[in-house]
Amino acid sequence: MITAHTRLVGLMGWPVSHSRSPAMHNAAFAAAGLDWAYATFPVKPGGVGAAVAGIRALGMAGANVTVPHKQAVIEHLDQLTEAAQRIGAVNTISVTDDGALLGDNTDAPGFVADLREHAVEPREHRALVLGAGGAARAVVVGLAMAGCAEITVLNRTPERARAMVEALATPGVVLRAGGMDALAERAGQSTLVINSTSVGMHPHEDAMPCSPEVVLQPSQVVYDLVYAPRDTRLLRYARTHGARAIGGLGMLLHQGALAFERWTGVTPDVQVMRDALTSS
Ligand code: ATR
């Protein structure tokens, strides 16, 4: 129940009506006995500055930020975490003790947390990342921060992959970039393949980010950031080659759990969040 003391957080994006985050967070607030509520706010492109002013004016406890505002929101915030700075995108805003708005990115550690939950340790893998958008940037920064020493980024538009790799240069990490024509060769040399493009996402469920001449190995792990549908064509393809297939719902879960902790200072019940996600 909403009371006079309820602390409000919510998701700013366009569109947001399909989001599963309210179900996930409100279930976790209830389970933790916290008088908090999570709502969605449809914020049109260009409107994120006014929305951030709203956080301040209304005394909200924080927010999540999604497409198309993750980069545009930065100039309206007071401080950024190192992860948000490196990725150049914010998905979580929290309010510091002195009232400043702090931009963070929990996509990168959320991705790594989900890998580790599946007993996949980034340090032990040679990674191949498909895509060079915001999601790919979070994946590459997460992998590099977690000690993955070899990361190749391939993208339909190779210049974008090259620019990203240049911007994310990290001591001790071999970062390569290229176009999708290198996919068959690079896939053979990688042990962890990650789709961070939007290919295969509802309603284009028949699409796959790699062509059938790419042969996957039983020893490989294939992670698809796409979580709608839960079982993508890429994941089914990986399984037919005997590879391990992991869908993106766990990353959504863990970025949410980390945001919850940033806002409330309380560690959420991740199982409650998972149940809410899978039943919504
Ligand atoms: P996000 O922030 O969710 O990562 P984005 O920045 O729009 O979204 O990036 C989308 C990614 O999916 C890009 O890597 C894009 O490739 P381009 O940089 O060449 O546009 C990739 N992508 C989208 N549709 C694609 C398609 N049909 N085939 C191959 N790659 C595609």
Side-chain angles (χ1 to χ4, degrees):
M1 198 176 73
I2 306 258
T3 73
H5 302 284
T6 303
R7 316 255 6 239
L8 182 65
V9 288
L11 175 65
M12 300 172 167
W14 184 269
V16 285
S17 57
H18 64 284
S19 173
R20 302 186 198 197
S21 290
M24 172 169 78
H25 283 289
N26 288 319
F29 290 145
L34 292 171
D35 186 3
W36 285 57
Y38 189 106
T40 54
F41 301 101
V43 175
K44 288 186 183 161
V48 77
V52 170
I55 295 178
R56 299 180 200 271
L58 301 173
M60 285 174 61
N64 277 142
V65 183
T66 189
V67 176
H69 305 305
K70 284 184 173 184
Q71 285 154 358
V73 73
I74 287 177
E75 63 175 296
H76 304 287
L77 302 174
D78 304 314
Q79 300 166 18
L80 292 181
T81 62
E82 191 200 332
Q85 268 176 44
R86 292 206 61 202
I87 297 164
V90 162
N91 80 325
T92 301
I93 302 170
S94 57
V95 185
T96 66
D97 290 342
D98 50 10
L101 295 188
L102 172 66
D104 194 3
N105 191 308
T106 65
D107 289 330
F111 169 65
V112 171
D114 193 45
L115 283 180
R116 288 186 170 145
E117 193 181 294
H118 287 89
V120 177
E121 175 49 54
R123 213 172 275 120
E124 295 164 3
H125 284 273
R126 291 188 302 280
L128 172 59
V129 177
L130 308 181
R137 250 181 118 92
V139 163
V140 170
V141 169
L143 288 171
M145 283 177 131
C148 181
E150 212 178 315
I151 306 169
T152 301
V153 179
L154 301 182
N155 194 42
R156 175 177 63 178
T157 315
E159 305 80 62
R160 246 186 126 189
R162 282 191 206 103
M164 186 172 111
V165 158
E166 230 166 79
L168 297 181
T170 310
V173 182
V174 177
L175 268 169
R176 296 187 197 88
M180 289 296 185
D181 51 338
L183 184 54
E185 185 204 333
R186 295 308 321 176
Q189 293 162 16
S190 306
T191 56
L192 172 60
V193 179
I194 300 139
N195 174 40
S196 50
T197 74
S198 48
V199 179
M201 197 182 281
H202 175 79
H204 304 292
E205 303 182 1
D206 285 341
M208 188 165 77
C210 75
S211 57
E213 68 258 24
V214 174
V215 177
L216 300 166
Q217 312 292 329
S219 57
Q220 287 176 316
V221 179
V222 176
Y223 192 107
D224 197 338
L225 260 61
V226 172
Y227 57 81
R230 293 271 294 276
D231 202 27
T232 62
R233 189 163 164 214
L234 173 66
L235 294 179
R236 292 196 300 277
Y237 182 74
R239 264 189 242 109
T240 61
H241 287 255
R244 210 165 145 214
I246 307 173
L249 206 66
M251 177 174 171
L252 178 67
L253 168 71
H254 286 288
Q255 66 75 32
L258 290 165
F260 183 108
E261 203 161 333
R262 303 280 196 276
W263 296 323
T264 64
V266 172
T267 304
D269 184 331
V270 172
Q271 193 53 44
V272 164
M273 296 179 91
R274 191 192 312 271
D275 291 345
L277 262 188
T278 49
S279 62
S280 65

